């Protein structure tokens, strides 16, 4: 097992601590156990840091510009992916997630290491940005950090950070558009390229029917549409999926939850919001997220005072990645000379999520308006409706986080009136949807019936507490919300 690199100075030590959290979060998604996650994270971290240092001291080219490269965190995340691929080739694939192994041996994985002009558009666009611009975009969109926090970390003026982020988004769009036109494509895709550029520039522009049908069947053009459309909240998913590859959307959800829980624990407070920060439609995804975080702060005193926080003050969680489960069950050494580095010991971090989940519900209305499907409403055929007049044993909230032509991402939050030693949540789909990947629970599907079973680290739920998990699934034709939710065999009412 390789030795972890030693930070060269205090600035790099702080970066190591921050990057280590991100690496462990993704390594946990890529592996089948906590010890394997720690091993993959250490190997990938050491390899990625060496690569970053070599790129930073490499020879300059042309007019004094260094070769294009990714910011530190996405560079390390791609190192996790390439290290996992090396494990697969070396006969250690049994340590990896089975779905990741299938992906690594498919044409999808080959796109990330093949000819540069065939690689995902978001990856090429991010590499083309100057390093400070790329870091600003990644921190704000993928790591889900509030803009004032990002401004402090990057040494920006908080008052002008919102305008600078908008300029970087536009610059990223321009780079992606140029790269899209440079990509080898067939005549049909080429004929739609300029139309795609036009309809993605404005939120008011309607997509013609023939272009919509083309995007539903052409993956490269659909990826281009996500990168070019700065409105509608698709940019974070386009960046995570295009740069990281497998598990990008699951990583995005984990980092969003981690940021929310850290802020709910009181770091930082609403006073960090920049005065005069614009809250227009072009930034509605970020505004919705910040609304949830501000609401979390306002009620955190109540949330931290009740039994939903069974293991101490919120300060104990600041070293772990927020609402994430800490993946490492056996002790893993902290990074050298990085005093703020989180210890890699297992904590029931899902209970932290339970203790701060109520504020998220209070601010949910801002983010849900962007979904085309109605959320949190009961269908007339739901079996749970007759029991809603009585006192139900549980209440369930289903949130469609993101949707694309053949797939979607969703989260399920269940509030139990009784304490649980373990849990099993079941529901039914109407339109043949199939769950492909789930986090914070294991999944089984029989026809339209899906069952999510608690993981080892989040089985216990206090009375009145929440349990939550997310998943990726496929759909065709129609994507109606699920119905007939049950918790351990008892019908659940849907939250209105």
């Amino acid at each position: 097992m390789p030795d972890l690199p030693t930070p060269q100075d205090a600035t790099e030590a702080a970066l190591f601590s921050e990057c280590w959290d991100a690496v462990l979060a993704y390594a946990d998604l890529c592996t089948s156990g906590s010890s394997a996650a720690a091993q993959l994270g250490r190997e990938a971290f050491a390899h990625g840091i060496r690569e970053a240092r070599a790129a930073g001291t490499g020879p300059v080219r042309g007019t004094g510009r260094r070769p294009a490269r990714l910011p530190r965190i996405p560079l390390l995340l791609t190192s996790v992916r390439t290290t996992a691929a090396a494990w697969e080739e070396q006969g250690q694939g049994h340590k990896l997630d089975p779905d990741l192994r299938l992906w690594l041996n498919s044409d999808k994985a080959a796109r990330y290491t093949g000819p540069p002009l065939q690689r995902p558009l978001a990856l090429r666009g991010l590499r083309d940005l100057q390093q400070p611009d790329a870091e600003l975009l990644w921190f704000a969109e993928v790591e889900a950090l509030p803009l004032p926090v990002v401004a402090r970390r990057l040494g920006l003026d908080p008052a002008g950070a919102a305008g600078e982020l908008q300029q970087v988004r536009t610059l990223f769009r321009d780079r992606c558009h140029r790269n899209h036109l440079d990509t080898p494509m067939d005549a049909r895709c080429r004929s739609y390229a300029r139309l795609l550029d036009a309809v993605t520039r404005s939120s008011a522009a309607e997509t013609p029917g023939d272009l919509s049908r083309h995007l539903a069947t052409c993956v490269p053009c659909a990826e281009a549409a996500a990168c070019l459309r700065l409105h509608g909240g698709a940019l974070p998913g386009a960046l995570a999926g295009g740069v990281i590859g497998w598990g990008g959307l699951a990583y995005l959800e984990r980092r969003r939850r981690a940021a929310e829980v850290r802020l709910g624990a009181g770091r930082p407070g609403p006073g960090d919001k920049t005065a005069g920060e614009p809250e227009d439609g072009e930034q509605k995804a970020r505004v919705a997220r910040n609304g949830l975080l501000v609401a979390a702060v306002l009620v955190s005193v109540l949330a931290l005072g009740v039994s939903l926080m069974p293991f101490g003050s919120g300060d104990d969680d600041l070293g772990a990645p927020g609402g994430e489960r800490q993946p490492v069950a056996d002790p893993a050494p902290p990074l050298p000379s990085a005093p703020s580095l989180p210890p890699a010991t297992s904590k029931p971090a899902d209970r932290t999520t339970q203790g701060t989940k109520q504020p998220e519900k209070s601010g949910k209305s801002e983010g849900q308006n962007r979904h085309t499907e109605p959320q949190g409403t009961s269908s007339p055929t739901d079996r749970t409706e007759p029991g809603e007049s009585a006192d139900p044993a549980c209440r369930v909230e289903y949130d469609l986080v993101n949707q694309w032509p053949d797939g979607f991402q969703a989260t399920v939050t269940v509030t139990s009136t009784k304490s649980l030693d373990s849990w099993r949540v079941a529901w039914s789909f109407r339109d043949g949807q199939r769950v492909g990947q789930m986090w914070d629970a294991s999944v089984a599907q029989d026809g339209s019936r899906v069952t999510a079973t608690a993981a080892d680290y989040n089985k216990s739920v206090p009375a009145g507490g929440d349990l939550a998990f997310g998943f990726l699934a496929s759909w065709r034709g129609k994507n109606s919300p699920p119905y007939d939710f049950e918790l351990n065999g008892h019908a659940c009412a849907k939250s209105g």
Side-chain angles (χ1 to χ4, degrees):
M1 187 176 299
D3 293 331
L4 293 173
T6 302
Q8 296 176 335
D9 50 38
T11 301
E12 192 173 62
L15 285 173
F16 275 22
S17 177
E18 182 175 66
C19 295
W20 182 244
D21 282 349
V23 167
L24 278 182
Y26 186 48
D28 184 41
L29 289 171
C30 294
T31 51
S32 57
S34 57
S35 60
Q39 181 184 357
L40 179 63
R42 286 191 290 263
E43 291 186 17
F45 191 88
H47 178 271
I49 290 298
R50 287 195 297 269
E51 182 180 348
R53 287 174 175 173
T57 58
V60 298
R61 62 181 184 182
T63 58
R65 293 183 57 198
R66 297 191 182 278
R69 61 188 177 94
L70 292 172
R72 186 68 61 93
I73 288 182
L75 177 65
L76 290 171
L77 295 177
T78 58
S79 179
V80 173
R81 188 189 67 226
T82 54
T83 304
W87 278 19
E88 178 71 14
E89 294 177 357
Q90 297 165 3
Q92 301 185 69
H94 61 280
K95 299 178 182 179
L96 301 175
D97 183 279
D99 290 335
L100 173 58
R101 299 186 68 185
L102 292 175
W103 186 86
L104 288 173
N105 292 283
S106 70
D107 293 339
K108 295 179 180 179
R111 291 186 62 202
Y112 291 81
T113 56
L117 291 180
Q118 297 286 0
R119 294 177 186 176
L121 204 59
L123 176 61
R124 294 155 60 190
L126 192 68
R127 286 173 62 93
D128 283 352
L129 294 179
Q130 294 293 324
Q131 198 77 2
D133 292 341
E135 289 180 349
L136 172 61
L137 189 67
W138 186 267
F139 274 128
E141 299 292 349
V142 180
E143 299 301 315
L145 296 175
L147 198 51
V149 176
V150 176
R152 286 199 301 272
R153 293 190 182 192
L154 300 180
L156 304 176
D157 179 11
E164 188 160 351
L165 176 59
Q166 188 58 34
Q167 291 179 8
V168 171
R169 285 172 174 159
T170 303
L171 188 61
F172 173 77
R173 185 194 187 281
D174 292 342
R175 296 290 189 271
C176 289
H177 176 53
R178 184 191 64 189
N179 286 325
H180 182 52
L181 295 178
D182 291 342
T183 302
M185 62 182 81
D186 58 33
R188 184 173 177 81
C189 293
R190 179 70 63 182
S191 67
Y192 282 118
R194 298 196 181 278
L195 176 60
L196 182 61
D197 173 47
V199 300
T200 55
R201 285 188 179 275
S202 171
S203 59
E206 294 185 1
T207 305
D210 58 337
L211 177 58
S212 295
R213 289 188 292 272
H214 177 69
L215 294 179
T217 58
C218 180
V219 173
C221 288
E223 289 180 352
C227 293
L228 297 177
R229 184 178 286 113
L230 299 182
H231 49 83
L235 183 56
L239 277 168
V243 174
I244 301 174
W246 183 89
L249 292 178
Y251 173 83
L252 181 68
E253 174 67 9
R254 285 195 169 197
R255 302 308 282 170
R256 181 185 68 83
R257 289 171 49 202
E260 289 174 1
V261 171
R262 279 198 299 267
L263 236 158
R267 153 186 185 205
D272 290 320
K273 184 173 177 66
T274 304
E277 183 175 336
E279 297 185 357
D280 52 21
E282 294 181 348
Q283 296 178 337
K284 63 181 180 181
R286 180 179 55 78
V287 172
R289 181 169 64 242
N290 288 351
L292 297 178
L293 301 180
V294 173
V297 174
L298 296 178
V299 299
S300 61
V301 175
L302 176 61
L304 296 177
V306 296
S307 61
L308 300 182
M309 292 288 292
F311 55 89
S313 67
D315 290 340
D316 294 337
D317 299 325
L318 299 181
E324 305 295 320
R325 69 180 176 99
Q326 183 71 3
V328 187
D330 56 332
L335 292 176
S337 304
S340 60
L341 184 65
T345 53
S346 180
K347 291 184 181 181
D350 257 42
R351 296 188 182 180
T352 308
T353 304
Q354 297 161 6
T356 57
K357 194 69 178 180
Q358 297 298 329
E360 184 176 346
K361 294 182 181 178
S362 66
K364 185 72 72 175
S365 59
E366 285 186 78
Q368 283 189 337
N369 291 334
R370 60 188 170 94
H371 301 315
T372 57
E373 294 289 340
Q375 302 298 314
T377 57
S378 287
S379 169
T381 59
D382 289 355
R383 295 205 313 252
T384 59
E385 284 189 352
E388 291 188 11
S389 58
D391 189 13
C394 51
R395 301 195 70 86
V396 62
E397 182 175 356
Y398 174 79
D399 181 22
L400 180 63
V401 177
N402 198 3
Q403 180 172 294
W404 51 98
D406 60 352
F408 66 97
Q409 176 187 358
T411 59
V412 176
T413 304
V414 180
T415 304
S416 174
T417 59
K418 300 179 181 179
S419 61
L420 304 175
D421 294 328
S422 184
W423 51 265
R424 186 179 66 258
V425 177
W427 68 86
S428 296
F429 281 120
R430 301 182 188 279
D431 305 315
Q433 297 96 323
R434 300 291 301 179
V435 176
Q437 180 182 350
M438 182 173 288
W439 52 94
D440 296 333
S442 58
V443 62
Q445 184 165 357
D446 183 9
S448 63
R449 194 68 175 169
V450 182
T451 302
T453 304
D456 291 338
Y457 56 87
N458 64 356
K459 289 183 176 181
S460 299
V461 180
D466 292 345
L467 60 95
F469 53 90
F471 62 87
L472 301 178
S474 60
W475 67 283
R476 297 182 65 182
K478 191 177 181 182
N479 186 20
S480 301
Y483 69 101
D484 195 14
F485 280 90
E486 291 182 347
L487 173 62
N488 293 343
H490 299 287
C492 293
K494 285 189 176 180
S495 297

